């Protein structure tokens, strides 16, 4: 039987999943230890078993093992989480997780296929390209505001604000509501810590968002008027439509998936390019490389680090026995740095031939529905910054991180924008 590196300690895994700031700040040396030997690591504190090597993570995503999606609600990790919560919080736990069971990302088989076909109406290539003009307008507006700040901050003033503006355009609600929607998204993002405070805040945010979307649904059903996204998903002329709960869940998933992960792509990507100045300069000199560079930025520092799954039937992987009900956590952040897949994986290289094979956006049936939108926003942001502020310099290359381990988020990127290009 192959075994993981004995230097892997349960305490460091627990610290990671508890989002200890020092542990989540730069987890890649830790991931390298997890990948040693079989790359299968038991976390007793979860409890769960981590799968960290590229080939194995991809195989799980491809459905080669009897592993299912909804591990927050079912399986040993969910049971362990419940046991650590106060009894009075159990009702809230089940309420929140039962609602999230409507998420497309938690569905299987034909039900997943049906919801994905309906949701895909919002993410056609034509619709994404039509968004480019509005994305550019938002970027220009945010940069103008940032230039008026005493200390411009790429994370606070641009990366945090752009994605929710774009999603608000996509889901068709007023831009005046974006701050409220951002607060709800942040609360749902903290849910992945699954502690008492984050659970309560997520419950309140989901209730508020349910009411908010409910008004939109009621208007569409009553008048036929409303956001194009809602009309497309509720159109009774289509063979397949969503229920109201499914639509609320889809809106929330689009909001959360389209804001938090893209915010991290923009923040992580700017940090990576600034700390690898040769790559910044290469993109400045060859702007045609910027669009493709988004994949290397997502490989190098993943905006989304892991996904929990629940084992449906017993199976064996590299000498480790997985049993039904066990939680398996696939760690994309570790897989993207696997030396068996990527040459010199700790090096940022925007010309890397296989950069698009990263797993940050998943793979197979559950490949990220909003992948094209994330790439579009990244392309517009970095093309604009490189063109307008070629001499921009990050003032602190050791930023603080917060948020969950899944979505570790840079807090601030103070930047000297330099002299704008003419």
């Amino acid at each position: 039987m192959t075994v993981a590196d004995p230097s892997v300690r349960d305490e460091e895994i627990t610290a990671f999943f508890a989002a200890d700031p020092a542990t989540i700040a730069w987890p890649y040396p830790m991931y390298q230890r997890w990948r040693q030997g079989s790359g299968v690591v038991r976390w007793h504190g979860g409890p769960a078993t981590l799968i960290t090597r590229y080939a194995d993570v991809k195989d799980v995503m491809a459905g080669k093992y009897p592993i299912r999606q909804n591990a927050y609600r079912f399986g040993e990790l969910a049971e362990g989480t419940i046991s650590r919560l106060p009894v009075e919080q159990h009702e809230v736990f089940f309420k929140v997780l039962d609602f999230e069971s409507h998420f497309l990302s938690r569905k299987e088989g034909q039900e997943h296929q049906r919801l994905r076909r309906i949701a895909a109406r919002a993410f056609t290539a034509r619709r994404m390209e039509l968004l480019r003009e509005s994305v550019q307008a938002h970027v220009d507006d945010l940069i103008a505001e940032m230039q008026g700040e005493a200390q411009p901050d790429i994370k606070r003033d641009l990366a945090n604000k752009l994605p929710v503006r774009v999603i608000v355009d996509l889901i068709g609600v007023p831009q005046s509501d974006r701050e409220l929607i951002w607060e709800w998204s942040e609360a749902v993002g903290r849910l992945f810590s699954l502690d008492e405070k984050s659970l309560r805040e997520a419950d309140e945010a989901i209730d508020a968002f349910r009411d908010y979307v409910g008004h939109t649904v009621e208007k569409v059903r009553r008048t036929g008027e409303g956001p194009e996204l809602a009309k497309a998903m509720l159109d009774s002329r289509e063979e397949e439509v969503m229920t109201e709960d499914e639509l609320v869940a889809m809106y929330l998933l689009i909001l959360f998936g389209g804001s938090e992960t893209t915010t991290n792509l923009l923040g992580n990507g700017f940090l990576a390019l600034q700390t690898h100045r040769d790559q910044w300069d290469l993109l400045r000199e060859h702007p045609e490389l910027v669009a493709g560079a988004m994949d290397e930025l997502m490989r190098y520092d993943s905006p989304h680090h892991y996904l929990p799954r629940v084992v449906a039937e017993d199976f064996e992987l590299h000498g480790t026995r997985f049993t039904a009900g066990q939680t398996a956590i696939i760690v994309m952040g570790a897989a993207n740095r696997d030396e068996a897949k990527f040459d010199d994986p700790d090096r940022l290289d925007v010309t890397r031939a296989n950069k698009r094979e990263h797993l940050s956006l998943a793979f197979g049936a559950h490949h990220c529905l909003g992948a094209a939108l994330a790439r579009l926003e990244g392309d517009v942001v970095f093309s604009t910054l490189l063109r307008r502020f070629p001499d921009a310099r990050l003032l602190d290359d050791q930023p603080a991180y917060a948020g969950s381990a899944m979505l570790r988020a840079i807090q601030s990127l103070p930047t000297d924008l330099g002299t704008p290009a003419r």
Side-chain angles (χ1 to χ4, degrees):
M1 180 189 299
T2 53
V3 296
D5 188 329
S7 67
V8 176
R9 305 186 314 277
D10 215 61
E11 292 81 0
E12 76 174 9
I13 303 176
T14 297
F16 172 75
F17 284 104
D20 170 64
T23 306
I24 66 172
W26 197 250
Y28 299 104
M30 180 177 66
Y31 288 166
Q32 199 276 335
R33 293 195 296 275
W34 294 1
R35 287 194 307 270
Q36 297 306 300
S38 68
V40 178
V41 182
R42 183 64 180 166
W43 173 34
H44 300 283
T49 301
L50 315 183
I51 299 174
T52 65
R53 298 202 68 111
Y54 180 94
D56 299 326
V57 171
K58 187 174 182 180
D59 282 349
V60 170
M61 290 178 169
K64 292 187 178 180
Y65 298 101
I67 294 177
R68 301 292 178 258
Q69 298 293 117
N70 202 359
Y72 285 105
R73 177 62 178 82
F74 303 103
E76 63 176 349
L77 181 61
E79 293 166 2
T81 299
I82 295 168
S83 71
R84 291 190 289 271
L85 289 170
V87 173
E88 60 269 20
Q89 285 287 308
H90 288 190
E91 183 178 352
V92 177
F93 175 88
F94 289 117
K95 176 188 172 188
V96 170
L97 274 295
D98 284 344
F99 171 77
E100 290 196 352
S101 294
H102 291 294
F103 282 177
L104 175 66
S105 56
R106 310 282 169 90
K107 296 295 188 180
E108 307 281 353
Q110 292 185 353
E111 192 173 14
H112 171 259
Q113 293 170 19
R114 175 182 69 86
L115 290 173
R116 192 175 179 94
R117 282 193 297 268
I118 298 171
R121 300 171 195 167
F123 291 94
T124 63
R126 179 176 177 272
R127 188 183 289 268
M128 291 302 99
E129 196 53 40
L130 287 174
L131 279 173
R132 180 178 289 273
E133 185 175 338
S134 68
V135 171
Q136 185 67 67
H138 286 310
V139 170
D140 292 341
D141 287 346
L142 288 169
I143 287 176
E145 293 173 12
M146 180 169 62
Q147 287 180 287
E149 296 288 341
Q151 177 55 73
D153 189 310
I154 293 293
K155 181 62 166 52
R156 180 195 66 207
D157 301 329
L158 184 56
N160 282 359
K161 294 180 178 180
L162 175 67
V164 73
R165 291 193 181 197
V166 174
I167 290 299
V168 162
D169 283 345
L170 179 66
I171 66 179
V173 300
Q175 282 289 337
S176 57
D177 291 344
R178 63 180 177 247
E179 293 301 324
L180 186 61
I181 289 172
W182 169 256
E183 291 174 7
W184 291 334
S185 177
E186 287 281 279
V188 174
R190 289 190 293 270
L191 173 62
F192 293 110
S193 298
L194 284 176
D195 56 37
E196 185 177 354
K197 182 174 183 290
S198 66
L199 193 61
R200 183 180 65 254
E201 291 174 349
D203 178 45
E204 293 169 354
I206 289 170
D207 279 348
F209 194 68
R210 186 199 297 269
D211 289 343
Y212 184 90
V213 176
H215 291 304
T216 299
V217 171
E218 191 276 332
K219 180 181 178 182
V220 171
R221 291 197 189 282
R222 178 170 46 83
T223 69
E225 298 299 320
E228 290 300 317
L229 179 63
K231 287 194 291 184
M233 293 185 184
L234 292 170
D235 190 346
S236 60
R237 294 170 299 177
E238 296 282 353
E239 183 178 342
E240 297 175 312
V241 297
M242 286 186 177
T243 67
E244 186 168 330
D245 269 351
E246 287 172 343
L247 181 65
V248 173
M250 184 61 69
Y251 259 60
L252 187 56
L253 186 63
I254 290 172
L255 166 66
F256 175 67
S259 57
E260 292 286 337
T261 51
T262 306
T263 287
N264 287 347
L265 163 62
L266 300 178
N268 295 352
F270 186 75
L271 174 64
L273 290 172
Q274 284 287 305
T275 53
H276 296 78
R277 197 69 194 188
D278 62 318
Q279 299 296 289
W280 173 275
D281 292 340
L282 178 63
L283 294 180
R284 184 190 63 196
E285 294 165 8
H286 296 279
E288 72 277 6
L289 298 177
V290 173
M294 296 308 102
D295 285 293
E296 175 65 355
L297 295 177
M298 285 188 276
R299 183 206 67 83
Y300 179 78
D301 193 3
S302 181
H304 190 175
H305 279 252
Y306 67 86
L307 290 167
R309 297 287 183 259
V310 61
V311 177
E313 301 172 18
D314 295 3
F315 71 95
E316 188 172 293
L317 176 63
H318 303 316
T320 296
R321 186 74 176 168
F322 287 78
T323 58
Q326 198 172 15
T327 298
I329 298 178
I330 50 175
V331 189
M332 299 93 73
N336 288 339
R337 294 288 191 102
D338 190 342
E339 57 280 352
K341 176 63 180 180
F342 300 103
D343 291 337
D344 197 4
D346 295 330
R347 177 172 57 89
L348 181 70
D349 178 6
V350 298
T351 65
R352 185 184 297 274
N354 64 345
K355 57 183 178 291
R356 201 174 174 91
E357 295 179 44
H358 68 85
L359 299 175
S360 294
L361 300 173
F363 175 80
H366 286 271
H367 182 258
C368 177
L369 197 62
L373 182 57
R375 289 188 176 102
L376 169 63
E377 290 182 61
D379 181 15
V380 172
V381 165
F382 288 108
S383 293
T384 303
L385 290 174
L386 287 156
R387 181 180 69 253
R388 294 182 56 184
F389 306 102
D391 299 323
R393 295 279 175 178
L394 183 62
L395 299 178
D396 180 4
D397 63 2
Q398 297 293 322
Y401 287 79
S404 66
M406 175 184 282
L407 295 158
R408 45 187 281 281
I410 294 170
Q411 296 302 285
S412 180
L413 291 170
T415 303
D416 177 357
L417 295 175
T419 304
R422 292 185 179 275

